[in-house]
Amino acid sequence: MASAAPDGGTTAEEPCVRSFFYAGGHYADNGKGGHVFQDQMYVEKLLPVRGPSQGSPIVLIHGQGQTGTNWLNKPDGSRGWASNFLEQGYEVYIVDQTLRGRSGGQPQSLATIPAESIQKRFTATKDYNLWPQASKHTQWPGSGVMGDPVFDSFYSSGVPFEDNVVYQQTTVRRCGTALLDRIGRPAIVVGHSQGATMPVLMADARPQLVRAIVLLEPRGPPFREAVFSSTPARPWGMTDIPITYSLPLRDPTELVLEIHAARDENSAEYVLQADSPPPRQLVNLVDLPILLLTGEASYHMAYDYGTVRFLRQAGCHKTKHIELGDIGIHGNGHMFFMEKNSQEIQQVVHNWIQSLG
């Protein structure tokens, strides 16, 4: 693979053997006397040219309004995480989430993200200072605003997405389960932002086929929004669709919740299950190693710690949280796997995987 840099040059990607297939999907009546195939998920499979040397494959799931191209190379033309994982000997699977990109379907409610929102939240956060840590953002290459070639390269990769979160999560869970079944051995499932809901759902459906999950600033925090609003959200905790708790729930309103004060003046308050009755456990995830990463300058610094506390309270005792600034990796925003020091962050993920034995 070779990628075009914004200045017209190229940067070498790791050599690999590439194939693709579709996971999941079904035939549906088109209302005109025929049938169409829909809700399937596009998957690229990348193999190191000498074959994989790592025991567990990697599945990479992009975030909202994006596609699997996020992982191939970065908007400045340099190497992306797919090449990093290939170089380390992993078998890599990259998806386009259902109803998006190369995954066919009939979306119910399409939406797009305006360029101004991308600037404010992801690429030029220090120009807007919408949260306390935003001024620390230094790792996005270029100015991060419209007209800058790196920003334009990134924004042009965005696609319309299904705005019905229940439909989206339901189809990705179904197709993600089909992907895990096809791989046939425990995988490391990595998800970013909105896409980080999907490893949780996939592991809940097929715990025996997930070795560990990596959550890169997952959609959150549990049960309600933070920073930009405080509206109710994610009624099942981290998801909008059912997930398996001890003592099965007929309805998520059966969860008894309480608000916890923010840990400091730069953080948001968060919602957990109450201590009484005893918090219900995420029974299919309790023994699963989970790594959650948060960038130093991201709005997720205000609340990812609440997501971690939710997971641990629900029995996920192998949950590890790394706030990148605490380990000397500074200046990163929400899209840190695309930023200037992305390889350093990917090495953190690789080292954690290796520590699992």
Short mmCIF file of all heavy atoms in Angstrom, two decimals, residues 46-89:
data_model
loop_
_atom_site.label_atom_id
_atom_site.label_comp_id
_atom_site.label_asym_id
_atom_site.label_seq_id
_atom_site.Cartn_x
_atom_site.Cartn_y
_atom_site.Cartn_z
N LEU A 46 -6.26 -7.82 6.11
CA LEU A 46 -4.87 -7.53 5.77
C LEU A 46 -3.97 -8.50 6.50
O LEU A 46 -4.04 -8.62 7.74
CB LEU A 46 -4.51 -6.09 6.15
CG LEU A 46 -5.41 -4.97 5.62
CD1 LEU A 46 -4.91 -3.62 6.11
CD2 LEU A 46 -5.50 -5.01 4.11
N LEU A 47 -3.11 -9.19 5.75
CA LEU A 47 -2.19 -10.15 6.33
C LEU A 47 -0.75 -9.71 6.11
O LEU A 47 -0.39 -9.29 5.00
CB LEU A 47 -2.37 -11.54 5.70
CG LEU A 47 -3.58 -12.36 6.12
CD1 LEU A 47 -3.70 -13.59 5.23
CD2 LEU A 47 -3.45 -12.77 7.57
N PRO A 48 0.12 -9.79 7.12
CA PRO A 48 1.54 -9.55 6.87
C PRO A 48 2.05 -10.49 5.77
O PRO A 48 1.60 -11.65 5.69
CB PRO A 48 2.19 -9.86 8.22
CG PRO A 48 1.10 -9.72 9.24
CD PRO A 48 -0.16 -10.15 8.53
N VAL A 49 2.95 -10.02 4.95
CA VAL A 49 3.38 -10.82 3.81
C VAL A 49 4.03 -12.13 4.22
O VAL A 49 3.99 -13.11 3.48
CB VAL A 49 4.32 -10.01 2.89
CG1 VAL A 49 3.56 -8.89 2.20
CG2 VAL A 49 5.51 -9.46 3.65
N ARG A 50 4.65 -12.17 5.38
CA ARG A 50 5.25 -13.41 5.87
C ARG A 50 4.31 -14.18 6.78
O ARG A 50 4.72 -15.14 7.44
CB ARG A 50 6.56 -13.09 6.60
CG ARG A 50 7.66 -12.54 5.69
CD ARG A 50 8.94 -12.25 6.47
NE ARG A 50 9.99 -11.76 5.60
CZ ARG A 50 10.13 -10.51 5.22
NH1 ARG A 50 9.26 -9.59 5.65
NH2 ARG A 50 11.12 -10.14 4.43
N GLY A 51 3.07 -13.74 6.84
CA GLY A 51 2.10 -14.39 7.71
C GLY A 51 2.10 -13.78 9.09
O GLY A 51 3.09 -13.17 9.51
N PRO A 52 1.01 -13.91 9.82
CA PRO A 52 0.93 -13.31 11.15
C PRO A 52 1.82 -14.04 12.16
O PRO A 52 1.95 -15.26 12.11
CB PRO A 52 -0.55 -13.45 11.53
CG PRO A 52 -1.07 -14.56 10.68
CD PRO A 52 -0.26 -14.55 9.42
N SER A 53 2.41 -13.26 13.05
CA SER A 53 3.21 -13.83 14.14
C SER A 53 2.55 -13.64 15.49
O SER A 53 3.00 -14.20 16.49
CB SER A 53 4.61 -13.20 14.16
OG SER A 53 4.53 -11.79 14.34
N GLN A 54 1.48 -12.85 15.53
CA GLN A 54 0.74 -12.64 16.77
C GLN A 54 -0.43 -13.62 16.84
O GLN A 54 -1.05 -13.94 15.83
CB GLN A 54 0.21 -11.21 16.84
CG GLN A 54 1.28 -10.14 16.74
CD GLN A 54 2.14 -10.05 17.99
OE1 GLN A 54 1.78 -10.56 19.05
NE2 GLN A 54 3.29 -9.40 17.88
N GLY A 55 -0.74 -14.05 18.04
CA GLY A 55 -1.79 -15.05 18.20
C GLY A 55 -3.19 -14.54 17.98
O GLY A 55 -4.06 -15.28 17.53
N SER A 56 -3.43 -13.26 18.28
CA SER A 56 -4.78 -12.71 18.20
C SER A 56 -4.90 -11.73 17.05
O SER A 56 -4.08 -10.81 16.93
CB SER A 56 -5.15 -12.00 19.50
OG SER A 56 -5.16 -12.89 20.59
N PRO A 57 -5.90 -11.87 16.19
CA PRO A 57 -6.15 -10.86 15.15
C PRO A 57 -6.63 -9.56 15.78
O PRO A 57 -7.11 -9.52 16.91
CB PRO A 57 -7.25 -11.49 14.29
CG PRO A 57 -7.36 -12.91 14.74
CD PRO A 57 -6.87 -12.97 16.14
N ILE A 58 -6.53 -8.48 15.00
CA ILE A 58 -7.01 -7.16 15.39
C ILE A 58 -8.20 -6.79 14.51
O ILE A 58 -8.13 -6.91 13.28
CB ILE A 58 -5.92 -6.09 15.22
CG1 ILE A 58 -4.71 -6.37 16.11
CG2 ILE A 58 -6.47 -4.69 15.47
CD1 ILE A 58 -4.91 -6.06 17.57
N VAL A 59 -9.29 -6.35 15.12
CA VAL A 59 -10.44 -5.80 14.40
C VAL A 59 -10.51 -4.31 14.71
O VAL A 59 -10.55 -3.92 15.88
CB VAL A 59 -11.76 -6.49 14.80
CG1 VAL A 59 -12.94 -5.85 14.06
CG2 VAL A 59 -11.70 -7.98 14.52
N LEU A 60 -10.52 -3.46 13.67
CA LEU A 60 -10.51 -2.01 13.83
C LEU A 60 -11.84 -1.42 13.39
O LEU A 60 -12.28 -1.63 12.25
CB LEU A 60 -9.37 -1.40 13.01
CG LEU A 60 -7.95 -1.83 13.39
CD1 LEU A 60 -6.94 -1.28 12.38
CD2 LEU A 60 -7.60 -1.36 14.80
N ILE A 61 -12.49 -0.67 14.29
CA ILE A 61 -13.82 -0.10 14.03
C ILE A 61 -13.74 1.42 14.17
O ILE A 61 -13.40 1.93 15.23
CB ILE A 61 -14.86 -0.67 14.99
CG1 ILE A 61 -14.88 -2.21 14.90
CG2 ILE A 61 -16.25 -0.11 14.67
CD1 ILE A 61 -15.82 -2.87 15.89
N HIS A 62 -14.06 2.13 13.10
CA HIS A 62 -14.00 3.58 13.05
C HIS A 62 -15.17 4.22 13.76
O HIS A 62 -16.13 3.55 14.19
CB HIS A 62 -13.99 4.03 11.58
CG HIS A 62 -15.24 3.59 10.87
ND1 HIS A 62 -16.42 4.29 10.94
CD2 HIS A 62 -15.51 2.48 10.11
CE1 HIS A 62 -17.36 3.65 10.25
NE2 HIS A 62 -16.83 2.55 9.74
N GLY A 63 -15.16 5.55 13.84
CA GLY A 63 -16.20 6.30 14.53
C GLY A 63 -17.22 6.93 13.59
O GLY A 63 -17.28 6.64 12.39
N GLN A 64 -17.99 7.85 14.15
CA GLN A 64 -19.14 8.46 13.48
C GLN A 64 -18.74 9.22 12.21
O GLN A 64 -17.77 9.98 12.20
CB GLN A 64 -19.83 9.44 14.44
CG GLN A 64 -21.18 9.92 14.00
CD GLN A 64 -22.26 8.90 14.29
OE1 GLN A 64 -22.29 7.83 13.68
NE2 GLN A 64 -23.15 9.21 15.22
N GLY A 65 -19.48 8.99 11.13
CA GLY A 65 -19.25 9.72 9.89
C GLY A 65 -17.97 9.35 9.18
O GLY A 65 -17.56 10.04 8.24
N GLN A 66 -17.33 8.27 9.59
CA GLN A 66 -16.06 7.85 9.00
C GLN A 66 -16.19 6.46 8.41
O GLN A 66 -17.26 5.84 8.47
CB GLN A 66 -14.96 7.89 10.07
CG GLN A 66 -14.69 9.27 10.64
CD GLN A 66 -14.10 10.22 9.62
OE1 GLN A 66 -13.06 9.95 9.02
NE2 GLN A 66 -14.79 11.33 9.38
N THR A 67 -15.11 5.96 7.84
CA THR A 67 -15.05 4.61 7.30
C THR A 67 -13.74 3.96 7.72
O THR A 67 -12.92 4.58 8.40
CB THR A 67 -15.14 4.59 5.76
OG1 THR A 67 -13.91 5.14 5.22
CG2 THR A 67 -16.33 5.38 5.24
N GLY A 68 -13.53 2.74 7.28
CA GLY A 68 -12.31 2.02 7.61
C GLY A 68 -11.04 2.67 7.09
O GLY A 68 -9.94 2.31 7.53
N THR A 69 -11.16 3.63 6.16
CA THR A 69 -9.96 4.31 5.68
C THR A 69 -9.24 5.06 6.79
O THR A 69 -8.05 5.38 6.65
CB THR A 69 -10.30 5.30 4.55
OG1 THR A 69 -11.23 6.28 5.05
CG2 THR A 69 -10.91 4.59 3.36
N ASN A 70 -9.93 5.34 7.90
CA ASN A 70 -9.28 5.98 9.06
C ASN A 70 -7.99 5.30 9.46
O ASN A 70 -7.06 5.95 9.94
CB ASN A 70 -10.20 5.93 10.27
CG ASN A 70 -11.22 7.03 10.33
OD1 ASN A 70 -11.99 7.10 11.28
ND2 ASN A 70 -11.26 7.92 9.35
N TRP A 71 -7.95 3.99 9.30
CA TRP A 71 -6.83 3.21 9.86
C TRP A 71 -5.72 2.98 8.85
O TRP A 71 -4.63 2.52 9.23
CB TRP A 71 -7.36 1.86 10.35
CG TRP A 71 -8.53 1.98 11.25
CD1 TRP A 71 -9.85 1.74 10.94
CD2 TRP A 71 -8.53 2.39 12.62
NE1 TRP A 71 -10.66 1.96 12.03
CE2 TRP A 71 -9.87 2.36 13.08
CE3 TRP A 71 -7.52 2.76 13.52
CZ2 TRP A 71 -10.22 2.69 14.39
CZ3 TRP A 71 -7.88 3.09 14.81
CH2 TRP A 71 -9.20 3.06 15.24
N LEU A 72 -5.97 3.26 7.57
CA LEU A 72 -4.99 2.90 6.54
C LEU A 72 -3.82 3.87 6.50
O LEU A 72 -2.67 3.47 6.51
CB LEU A 72 -5.67 2.81 5.18
CG LEU A 72 -6.70 1.69 5.05
CD1 LEU A 72 -7.42 1.77 3.71
CD2 LEU A 72 -6.03 0.33 5.22
N ASN A 73 -4.11 5.15 6.39
CA ASN A 73 -3.07 6.16 6.56
C ASN A 73 -3.71 7.43 7.06
O ASN A 73 -4.91 7.59 7.00
CB ASN A 73 -2.27 6.42 5.28
CG ASN A 73 -3.07 6.26 4.02
OD1 ASN A 73 -4.19 6.68 3.86
ND2 ASN A 73 -2.48 5.66 3.07
N LYS A 74 -2.87 8.31 7.56
CA LYS A 74 -3.38 9.50 8.24
C LYS A 74 -3.61 10.63 7.23
O LYS A 74 -3.09 10.60 6.11
CB LYS A 74 -2.39 9.91 9.32
CG LYS A 74 -2.20 8.84 10.40
CD LYS A 74 -1.40 9.35 11.58
CE LYS A 74 0.03 9.65 11.22
NZ LYS A 74 0.82 10.07 12.41
N PRO A 75 -4.38 11.64 7.61
CA PRO A 75 -4.69 12.72 6.67
C PRO A 75 -3.47 13.48 6.17
O PRO A 75 -3.51 14.07 5.10
CB PRO A 75 -5.60 13.65 7.48
CG PRO A 75 -6.24 12.77 8.48
CD PRO A 75 -5.19 11.76 8.85
N ASP A 76 -2.35 13.43 6.92
CA ASP A 76 -1.13 14.08 6.43
C ASP A 76 -0.32 13.18 5.52
O ASP A 76 0.76 13.55 5.06
CB ASP A 76 -0.27 14.58 7.60
CG ASP A 76 0.30 13.45 8.44
OD1 ASP A 76 -0.01 12.26 8.17
OD2 ASP A 76 1.06 13.74 9.39
N GLY A 77 -0.84 11.98 5.22
CA GLY A 77 -0.17 11.06 4.30
C GLY A 77 0.75 10.07 4.96
O GLY A 77 1.31 9.21 4.29
N SER A 78 0.94 10.16 6.27
CA SER A 78 1.86 9.24 6.94
C SER A 78 1.15 7.96 7.38
O SER A 78 -0.07 7.83 7.25
CB SER A 78 2.53 9.93 8.13
OG SER A 78 1.55 10.43 9.03
N ARG A 79 1.92 7.04 7.90
CA ARG A 79 1.42 5.71 8.23
C ARG A 79 0.30 5.74 9.26
O ARG A 79 0.37 6.44 10.25
CB ARG A 79 2.54 4.84 8.80
CG ARG A 79 3.38 4.14 7.78
CD ARG A 79 4.28 3.11 8.44
NE ARG A 79 4.96 2.32 7.42
CZ ARG A 79 5.36 1.08 7.60
NH1 ARG A 79 5.16 0.49 8.76
NH2 ARG A 79 5.96 0.43 6.64
N GLY A 80 -0.69 4.90 9.03
CA GLY A 80 -1.76 4.73 9.99
C GLY A 80 -1.57 3.49 10.84
O GLY A 80 -0.62 2.73 10.68
N TRP A 81 -2.53 3.28 11.73
CA TRP A 81 -2.41 2.17 12.68
C TRP A 81 -2.45 0.80 12.01
O TRP A 81 -1.88 -0.15 12.53
CB TRP A 81 -3.52 2.29 13.73
CG TRP A 81 -3.14 3.19 14.87
CD1 TRP A 81 -2.22 4.18 14.87
CD2 TRP A 81 -3.69 3.16 16.19
NE1 TRP A 81 -2.16 4.79 16.11
CE2 TRP A 81 -3.06 4.19 16.94
CE3 TRP A 81 -4.68 2.40 16.81
CZ2 TRP A 81 -3.37 4.44 18.28
CZ3 TRP A 81 -4.99 2.66 18.14
CH2 TRP A 81 -4.35 3.66 18.87
N ALA A 82 -3.12 0.67 10.89
CA ALA A 82 -3.14 -0.64 10.22
C ALA A 82 -1.73 -1.10 9.90
O ALA A 82 -1.36 -2.25 10.17
CB ALA A 82 -3.99 -0.57 8.95
N SER A 83 -0.91 -0.19 9.36
CA SER A 83 0.48 -0.56 9.05
C SER A 83 1.28 -0.85 10.31
O SER A 83 2.12 -1.75 10.33
CB SER A 83 1.16 0.56 8.25
OG SER A 83 0.84 0.46 6.89
N ASN A 84 1.02 -0.08 11.37
CA ASN A 84 1.73 -0.35 12.63
C ASN A 84 1.42 -1.77 13.12
O ASN A 84 2.34 -2.51 13.51
CB ASN A 84 1.30 0.66 13.70
CG ASN A 84 1.67 2.09 13.37
OD1 ASN A 84 0.98 3.02 13.78
ND2 ASN A 84 2.73 2.31 12.61
N PHE A 85 0.15 -2.14 13.11
CA PHE A 85 -0.21 -3.48 13.57
C PHE A 85 0.34 -4.56 12.63
O PHE A 85 0.80 -5.61 13.10
CB PHE A 85 -1.73 -3.61 13.68
CG PHE A 85 -2.31 -3.00 14.93
CD1 PHE A 85 -3.22 -1.95 14.85
CD2 PHE A 85 -1.96 -3.47 16.18
CE1 PHE A 85 -3.77 -1.39 16.00
CE2 PHE A 85 -2.50 -2.92 17.34
CZ PHE A 85 -3.41 -1.87 17.25
N LEU A 86 0.30 -4.32 11.33
CA LEU A 86 0.86 -5.29 10.39
C LEU A 86 2.35 -5.50 10.62
O LEU A 86 2.84 -6.63 10.63
CB LEU A 86 0.61 -4.82 8.95
CG LEU A 86 -0.80 -4.98 8.41
CD1 LEU A 86 -0.97 -4.16 7.12
CD2 LEU A 86 -1.13 -6.45 8.15
N GLU A 87 3.06 -4.41 10.82
CA GLU A 87 4.51 -4.50 11.06
C GLU A 87 4.81 -5.30 12.32
O GLU A 87 5.83 -5.99 12.41
CB GLU A 87 5.09 -3.09 11.18
CG GLU A 87 6.61 -3.05 11.28
CD GLU A 87 7.14 -1.64 11.29
OE1 GLU A 87 6.40 -0.72 11.71
OE2 GLU A 87 8.30 -1.43 10.89
N GLN A 88 3.91 -5.24 13.29
CA GLN A 88 4.10 -5.99 14.53
C GLN A 88 3.63 -7.44 14.43
O GLN A 88 3.75 -8.20 15.39
CB GLN A 88 3.35 -5.28 15.66
CG GLN A 88 3.97 -3.93 16.02
CD GLN A 88 2.99 -2.98 16.71
OE1 GLN A 88 1.78 -3.23 16.75
NE2 GLN A 88 3.51 -1.89 17.24
N GLY A 89 3.10 -7.82 13.26
CA GLY A 89 2.77 -9.21 13.02
C GLY A 89 1.33 -9.61 13.23
O GLY A 89 0.99 -10.80 13.27
#
